[in-house]
Amino acid sequence: MVVMMDVDEEATGDTENLEEEVTAEEEEEEEEEEEEPINDEVVDAMVEIHEEEVKDDDDCDGLVSEILSVIEFLDQIKEYRRTQQKECFNLVRRLKILVPFLEEIRGFESPNCRHFVNRLRKVFLVAKKLLETCNNGSKIFLALDGESVMTRFHSTYEKLNRVLVKTPFDELVISHEVKEEIDSLCKQLKKAKRRTDTQDIELAVDMMVVFSKTDPRNSDSAIIERLAKKLELQTIDDLKKETIAIKSLIQEKGVLSIETKQHIIELLNKFKKLQGLEATDILYQPVINKSFTKSTSLILPHEFLCPITLEIMLDPVIIATGQTYEKESIQKWFDAGHKNCPKTRQELDHLSLAPNFALKNLIMQWCEKNNFKIPEKETSPHSENEQKDEVSLLVEALSSSHLEEQRRSVKQMRLLARENPENRVLIANAGAIPLLVQLLSYPDSGIQENAVTTLLNLSIDEINKKLISNEGAIPNIIEILENGNREARENSAAALFSLSMLDENKVTIGLSNGIPPLVDLLQHGTVRGKKDALTALFNLSLNSANKGRAIDAGIVQPLLNLLKDKNLGMIDEALSILLLLASHPEGRQAIGQLSFIETLVEFIRQGTPKNKECATSVLLELGSNNSSFILAALQFGVYEYLVEITTSGTNRAQRKANALIQLISKSEQI
């Protein structure tokens, strides 16, 4: 199950700026830090190596060449799954630091040198396997099980550090500069092991929603579309590759639990439904349109199916890349504003379509020979041109002087914007956004509600997010959040959450006094209103200045109230925001009351696995800054519960519990 992870708002920058600097003060702290004594043989056993062990006649020079070839191979990988992208580039960068060192030790032959290089080789092979998984593994699994993947990165850093600190410098004649690089790398690796985890919060929240059995939004098309975009699973080709990756993953015994398999399959099915594909037994049967199910004895040649719809092509056409599609499908793709090939993603020199008569003849001959009846083409009630005309008329009606016409048009536009991505592009291109923003301040509650909800639906599109914020919509949305009707307030909160995906909008919302009305909705809203406010506040609190604003607005008490009402099902989300606030001095002061510590300990004792995870993380954050919080928790018996979590908790809970126990043991005051 996806869980909210620790958040570091400063760790979300470009992957290009990956250099980590260690200050003199940090270096002194790291030199003084005691390492946990771990037997090297035990560490070796923790990591599975599929390659054969080194033979007796393998020389040191050959091992160095093998390591360098691994670095060269990894340097060729340019893309990683978005959920692990930054960590992958970090790892590759650190491995490449060792190239000058490896070049200098070529030719040294001694048992100690050979043993050292062999151990280093093992780490590189482990790193290679991990990076290959993040390059071509299942995107859904890597997002769903991000905690375990991060643990593998930590394990790799730990193993590499333990090898490098035992470098036989006495036997290896290397330059002083290279030796300094090795020492600096070891310090970086220690820092990497201790670094707080980071995760895309919107992705975490959305996955938590879609996997929830009780949240009414678990089938919300907007959330599913946003997830598909985040995981880059928006095309038929992407979904084919993902299905293959999932099949391969399931074949590996012991990797996936039954629950995890179910989650992955469910989400993949939802993504396929977005593309109009039938969600059947997707892992073991080909995805075929319902109209073909009567001919189960026939297997349709793959080249006869349109890559977009996976339906047999009646009018195949060739585009600039040489790929063939059903004419109607590719024309819809172009009309939606796309200028690239759906299959290859290559930018097109032109959008001309050439009939593929040869393939059409082959399809007709095959159908006749196999007595296969081509399904009749379903005619849509509205052509693409008619849809454009309809949108244009609705946009024009937004400026009408007749109130009823405005009401009707904005309500219809709200429904269109909800239906599909193409409509959102059409509506934005028709110039609707500036008019909708104007309607936000219209003195009619029904028009306000439909206008803000339409903007919410349009904001699913990344380009539309910028268009909406550039039109100055945020202050008006906040006004509706403060004074609108119930549904308008809830949808305003959801709109602020969506718009706050852009970092500059987090700042704008905070400076526009958008946080106090969100806190008010969190305290006094309906269940749905509380959830919308909670997700918006969660995202906004990633900004450091907004943490202080949220505390000043009185966010702590509503969050504590959510912890008391288990029926609301928002305990983990509330704890996740409290974790963010615990990194702020004022936040620690506001939440660090004795009754809250007792509540945390209670969740650690008998909460759900995820409750324990989140509560342990909050207590660790508090205790790392002030040992008095740990003293209070010890009075409520937290120690024995932490010991239990180290053996029975989730991976993340175990790590946090171990870190807390270690903190307790190192604290002189305790």
Side-chain angles (χ1 to χ4, degrees):
M1 191 64 183
V2 173
V3 294
M4 308 303 289
M5 301 174 77
D6 304 68
V7 182
D8 181 353
E9 61 270 14
E10 297 177 358
T12 56
D14 275 343
T15 54
E16 296 175 4
N17 302 322
L18 296 175
E19 289 297 325
E20 293 182 47
E21 297 182 1
V22 181
T23 64
E25 183 180 350
E26 287 172 332
E27 289 179 1
E28 289 176 6
E29 290 176 357
E30 289 171 348
E31 286 171 2
E32 293 171 0
E33 179 187 35
E34 287 187 12
E35 295 229 64
E36 181 184 356
I38 298 181
N39 187 298
D40 288 331
E41 293 179 359
V42 175
V43 176
D44 288 341
M46 291 165 58
V47 184
E48 182 180 358
I49 303 291
H50 290 292
E51 287 77 9
E52 292 182 358
E53 287 293 325
V54 180
K55 298 182 178 65
D56 290 337
D57 56 352
D58 284 340
D59 58 18
C60 193
D61 196 49
L63 296 174
V64 170
S65 296
E66 185 178 352
I67 295 173
L68 289 171
S69 69
V70 170
I71 295 177
E72 185 177 351
F73 171 80
L74 295 177
D75 202 31
Q76 301 303 311
I77 301 178
K78 301 302 180 185
E79 293 184 4
Y80 293 99
R81 301 313 191 209
R82 184 180 292 185
T83 44
Q84 283 79 30
Q85 187 180 64
K86 181 175 181 179
E87 204 60 54
C88 289
F89 284 120
N90 272 334
L91 177 54
V92 172
R93 175 181 58 79
R94 288 169 179 138
L95 295 177
K96 288 169 67 176
I97 290 174
L98 292 171
V99 170
F101 168 67
L102 292 165
E103 294 288 0
E104 286 199 10
I105 64 173
R106 279 184 181 274
F108 284 95
E109 290 296 341
S110 72
N112 282 346
C113 177
R114 182 175 169 280
H115 175 69
F116 163 74
V117 177
N118 182 33
R119 292 185 64 213
L120 192 60
R121 162 188 167 273
K122 289 183 179 182
V123 181
F124 271 80
L125 294 177
V126 171
K128 178 185 176 185
K129 182 179 178 183
L130 175 56
L131 290 165
E132 284 179 318
T133 298
C134 295
N135 169 247
N136 56 29
S138 162
K139 296 177 180 179
I140 297 175
F141 174 71
L142 288 169
L144 180 64
D145 204 36
E147 177 66 19
S148 295
V149 179
M150 184 58 66
T151 300
R152 291 176 63 186
F153 276 102
H154 288 164
S155 174
T156 303
Y157 290 142
E158 183 176 357
K159 184 70 182 294
L160 181 58
N161 182 54
R162 291 189 179 282
V163 172
L164 291 178
V165 295
K166 294 188 177 180
T167 304
F169 289 116
D170 294 341
E171 296 185 27
L172 302 173
V173 182
I174 60 174
S175 64
H176 180 69
E177 292 79 7
V178 169
K179 187 177 185 301
E180 284 186 340
E181 285 183 356
I182 299 296
D183 292 339
S184 176
L185 177 58
C186 287
K187 291 184 173 69
Q188 287 187 35
L189 294 171
K190 285 183 183 179
K191 187 178 180 182
K193 287 190 299 176
R194 295 197 307 271
R195 191 182 57 237
T196 304
D197 300 317
T198 62
Q199 181 173 327
D200 185 321
I201 300 306
E202 182 186 37
L203 178 69
V205 172
D206 285 347
M207 294 194 79
M208 185 180 292
V209 169
V210 297
F211 291 138
S212 170
K213 299 299 183 184
T214 57
D215 196 314
R217 299 173 296 168
N218 56 16
S219 295
D220 190 310
S221 61
I223 294 177
I224 295 168
E225 283 182 30
R226 194 160 58 221
L227 272 176
K229 185 172 183 178
K230 280 278 186 183
L231 297 180
E232 297 176 333
L233 291 172
Q234 293 178 284
T235 69
I236 303 298
D237 197 43
D238 289 337
L239 291 170
K240 285 180 183 177
K241 292 177 181 176
E242 177 67 7
T243 303
I244 293 171
I246 291 172
K247 285 182 179 179
S248 175
L249 188 65
I250 285 181
Q251 288 171 359
E252 296 183 35
K253 293 182 178 180
V255 175
L256 301 180
S257 66
I258 295 175
E259 183 186 22
T260 302
K261 288 179 186 177
Q262 184 180 3
H263 284 326
I264 291 174
I265 294 170
E266 286 176 357
L267 187 53
L268 184 58
N269 271 332
K270 288 177 180 178
F271 290 157
K272 290 196 171 185
K273 283 182 180 179
L274 285 181
Q275 301 297 331
L277 302 179
E278 184 180 359
T280 58
D281 194 355
I282 56 173
L283 294 177
Y284 307 106
Q285 297 176 3
V287 179
I288 298 176
N289 188 276
K290 290 180 180 178
S291 57
F292 302 145
T293 55
K294 295 178 181 178
S295 304
T296 53
S297 59
L298 289 177
I299 298 178
L300 287 162
H302 177 72
E303 58 271 19
F304 291 177
L305 305 181
C306 173
I308 295 176
T309 64
L310 287 188
E311 295 181 12
I312 193 167
M313 289 184 280
L314 309 180
D315 191 6
V317 293
I318 304 171
I319 65 171
T321 56
Q323 299 291 332
T324 297
Y325 297 90
E326 174 65 26
K327 183 177 180 179
E328 182 182 0
S329 302
I330 193 64
Q331 191 61 58
K332 283 184 178 180
W333 174 265
F334 291 155
D335 290 343
H338 300 291
K339 308 294 183 185
N340 59 348
C341 172
K343 189 172 182 180
T344 66
R345 314 304 291 178
Q346 181 180 341
E347 290 294 323
L348 301 175
D349 296 330
H350 59 80
L351 303 182
S352 302
L353 304 177
N356 192 337
F357 293 117
L359 180 59
K360 186 172 183 177
N361 288 334
L362 280 175
I363 292 173
M364 299 301 293
Q365 291 171 15
W366 183 89
C367 290
E368 185 177 348
K369 179 180 178 182
N370 292 279
N371 196 26
F372 181 84
K373 184 178 179 181
I374 297 179
E376 293 184 9
K377 200 169 187 178
E378 295 181 4
T379 56
S380 173
H382 298 285
S383 67
E384 187 68 26
N385 288 333
E386 288 175 334
Q387 186 81 315
K388 285 183 179 179
D389 292 340
E390 181 184 356
V391 169
S392 297
L393 290 173
L394 290 174
V395 172
E396 186 178 341
L398 291 178
S399 303
S400 172
S401 58
H402 300 288
L403 183 61
E404 284 305 317
E405 191 173 354
Q406 283 184 310
R407 283 177 176 166
R408 180 193 60 81
S409 61
V410 72
K411 186 174 182 179
Q412 183 62 28
M413 191 172 289
R414 169 183 176 175
L415 297 175
L416 284 175
R418 181 181 177 181
E419 282 183 4
N420 56 56
E422 290 78 14
N423 285 353
R424 292 173 202 128
V425 175
L426 282 174
I427 292 170
N429 289 344
I433 289 176
L435 297 173
L436 288 166
V437 173
Q438 291 177 21
L439 291 179
L440 292 175
S441 54
Y442 200 89
D444 181 277
S445 61
I447 287 179
Q448 282 186 352
E449 177 192 321
N450 285 317
V452 76
T453 309
T454 304
L455 289 171
L456 165 62
N457 293 333
L458 291 174
S459 71
I460 297 169
D461 184 275
E462 204 69 25
I463 295 175
N464 288 349
K465 276 186 176 68
K466 295 181 180 179
L467 293 175
I468 293 168
S469 55
N470 289 344
E471 287 295 328
I474 288 175
N476 290 336
I477 293 174
I478 293 172
E479 177 70 24
I480 295 176
L481 176 63
E482 291 178 312
N483 302 309
N485 62 37
R486 179 183 60 79
E487 187 169 352
R489 293 185 69 204
E490 292 170 351
N491 290 342
S492 295
L496 291 178
F497 168 70
S498 180
L499 293 173
S500 67
M501 289 302 105
L502 301 179
D503 287 339
E504 58 268 29
N505 287 345
K506 290 184 178 71
V507 177
T508 302
I509 294 168
L511 292 174
S512 302
N513 209 30
I515 291 177
L518 285 170
V519 172
D520 182 71
L521 184 62
L522 180 65
Q523 188 163 15
H524 301 112
T526 64
V527 173
R528 184 200 157 191
K530 290 178 187 292
K531 288 187 176 181
D532 288 330
L534 198 64
T535 52
L537 287 165
F538 192 39
N539 205 37
L540 289 169
S541 296
L542 294 175
N543 177 277
S544 183
N546 284 342
K547 292 178 186 177
R549 295 186 180 105
I551 294 164
D552 292 339
I555 191 176
V556 172
Q557 192 55 52
L559 291 174
L560 297 180
N561 291 340
L562 292 180
L563 298 182
K564 297 174 184 176
D565 192 344
K566 296 182 180 179
N567 294 327
L568 291 175
M570 291 184 248
I571 290 172
D572 296 316
E573 292 91 334
L575 285 171
S576 297
I577 297 185
L578 289 166
L579 178 60
L580 288 174
L581 300 180
S583 65
H584 192 282
E586 292 180 18
R588 288 193 293 275
Q589 184 176 355
I591 67 179
Q593 48 190 280
L594 197 62
S595 60
F596 175 63
I597 300 298
E598 185 176 9
T599 301
L600 280 183
V601 174
E602 191 62 20
F603 282 125
I604 293 172
R605 182 176 75 88
Q606 61 175 12
T608 67
K610 196 160 58 173
N611 289 165
K612 293 180 179 181
E613 212 173 82
C614 294
T616 305
S617 299
V618 176
L619 184 57
L620 177 61
E621 181 67 33
L622 290 172
S624 298
N625 290 279
N626 189 333
S627 60
S628 64
F629 293 120
I630 299 181
L631 279 168
L634 287 172
Q635 293 174 15
F636 296 114
V638 74
Y639 190 86
E640 62 179 288
Y641 311 141
L642 292 174
V643 172
E644 183 180 344
I645 289 176
T646 60
T647 58
S648 62
T650 64
N651 288 338
R652 178 172 179 250
Q654 289 182 23
R655 288 201 300 111
K656 299 299 181 183
N658 278 317
L660 259 174
I661 291 173
Q662 196 170 24
L663 194 62
I664 292 170
S665 66
K666 287 184 177 181
S667 175
E668 293 181 5
Q669 182 183 355
I670 295 174

